[in-house]
Amino acid sequence: MVIYIEYALFENFLFDSVLLFLALKAAKENVRPFKVGLAAVMGAVFAVVFPLLRLSVFGALVLKTSVGFLLCLIAFGNIKTKKDRGRYALTTFFFFTFTFLFGGVLLGVTQDFFKNKVPSVFVMTAFAILTVLTSVFIQKLYQKRRLQRFIYPCTVFYGENIIKVDAFLDSGNRAQKNGLPVCFLSLDTLYELRKEEIWHKGEGQVCDEIEIHTLGGVKKLPIYQGEIVLKKSVGEERKKVYLAPATNMVCREYSMILSAYVLEETGEK
């Protein structure tokens, strides 16, 4: 079996670079290309030299683990505070997690499809696909986490009807009418609040209208006066608002968009 050292160095350099990059991104740390490259070079050299060493199973495991910690330390940079130690530990955790994940998936796939030597092109392609999928997963995970910070349990009152929803606080929603904030409800949620009114009065009574400026132009939406109780750490307060239908509610993690004025009225910043 012939092994080309330059190919082995390049492949391992590439793999370690990507794994360190993903680990730093997952830990929300700055990626410093020079430090990542330096760590990847050391990892590539170690990967080529390691098979030549005569070690016990335990010794080999300890050495590979120690090198993994060292690579993460080089890519992470200086550790000065307790917070830095925690972020470094998190980066190391993600590095080993992604290493085992990528290694396990690649090994499982190649063993199923190839009995002898695995083509390098296939390995590189599979690694690239895993990298893209992992990057997208990390991005979506943190997007969801950021979104959850602005979602509050909310109770909506309209006449005698009450409904509980998850509401998203949108700092860009500055809609007001007659000095009251305008909140937007998904069509199905608004229907649940008004269905008895609709049954008894046809389409029900429109309280007023509001003009909304969108990329598609100006839209006029009906609004209905109601009240909400927003559960927050500072307490709960029942306040009057206008309710409007949200025709383009695309996110299903919440069914109501709050006005920024809902919090400003309480003096909360």
Side-chain angles (χ1 to χ4, degrees):
M1 180 178 179
V2 179
I3 299 177
Y4 295 95
I5 299 298
E6 59 273 22
Y7 292 160
L9 287 172
F10 173 75
E11 285 187 0
N12 284 283
F13 170 80
L14 180 62
F15 294 161
D16 286 338
S17 297
V18 172
L19 291 173
L20 288 168
F21 170 81
L22 292 175
L24 290 168
K25 280 294 184 181
K28 299 195 73 174
E29 288 297 318
N30 293 329
V31 178
R32 301 173 179 84
F34 175 76
K35 292 185 177 181
V36 171
L38 179 61
V41 168
M42 293 187 64
V45 173
F46 172 76
V48 172
V49 174
F50 180 76
L52 305 178
L53 303 177
R54 294 184 178 180
L55 300 171
S56 63
V57 175
F58 177 76
L61 178 62
V62 171
L63 180 59
K64 287 195 291 186
T65 303
S66 301
V67 171
F69 277 98
L70 177 60
L71 298 184
C72 291
L73 179 60
I74 295 172
F76 184 86
N78 296 331
I79 300 177
K80 298 180 180 180
T81 65
K82 183 178 180 180
K83 182 179 180 181
D84 289 340
R85 290 194 293 270
R87 305 303 295 184
Y88 164 68
L90 185 61
T91 301
T92 304
F93 168 77
F94 281 122
F95 175 74
F96 282 113
T97 300
F98 292 143
T99 299
F100 291 134
L101 174 64
F102 279 46
V105 172
L106 291 175
L107 181 62
V109 171
T110 53
Q111 284 185 342
D112 288 338
F113 288 92
F114 300 97
K115 302 301 181 181
N116 298 315
K117 186 178 183 298
V118 181
S120 297
V121 174
F122 179 84
V123 175
M124 298 293 286
T125 302
F127 189 84
I129 293 173
L130 283 173
T131 301
V132 172
L133 292 177
T134 304
S135 299
V136 172
F137 174 77
I138 293 172
Q139 183 179 8
K140 295 295 184 182
L141 184 64
Y142 279 110
Q143 285 180 349
K144 183 175 181 180
R145 184 178 177 182
R146 287 193 296 268
L147 180 66
Q148 290 296 330
R149 293 173 54 193
F150 299 98
I151 295 180
Y152 299 89
C154 184
T155 305
V156 185
F157 301 85
Y158 181 73
E160 296 182 356
N161 296 328
I162 302 173
I163 192 169
K164 293 185 177 181
V165 299
D166 288 327
F168 173 67
L169 177 62
D170 184 2
S171 60
N173 177 18
R174 298 281 172 171
Q176 280 186 311
K177 185 73 174 183
N178 301 327
L180 294 179
V182 178
C183 301
F184 295 87
L185 283 168
S186 63
L187 294 178
D188 55 340
T189 304
L190 186 59
Y191 175 78
E192 283 296 318
L193 279 173
R194 299 185 57 245
K195 62 182 179 182
E196 293 183 6
E197 180 184 63
I198 294 174
W199 290 344
H200 289 90
K201 301 179 181 179
E203 289 299 319
Q205 298 295 321
V206 176
C207 182
D208 207 334
E209 287 184 338
I210 187 172
E211 287 189 350
I212 302 296
H213 296 268
T214 65
L215 295 177
V218 179
K219 292 183 179 180
K220 287 188 176 181
L221 298 176
I223 55 176
Y224 311 89
Q225 189 170 335
E227 295 180 306
I228 64 171
V229 172
L230 185 63
K231 294 184 178 180
K232 308 186 299 297
S233 58
V234 296
E236 300 178 8
E237 180 182 348
R238 188 161 170 168
K239 55 190 71 174
K240 294 181 180 180
V241 298
Y242 280 111
L243 306 173
T247 57
N248 58 343
M249 185 83 73
V250 295
C251 180
R252 293 301 177 183
E253 295 186 25
Y254 54 85
S255 53
M256 184 177 187
I257 300 176
L258 296 170
S259 168
Y261 295 114
V262 168
L263 293 187
E264 289 184 5
E265 285 188 343
T266 65
E268 180 175 315
K269 297 181 180 180

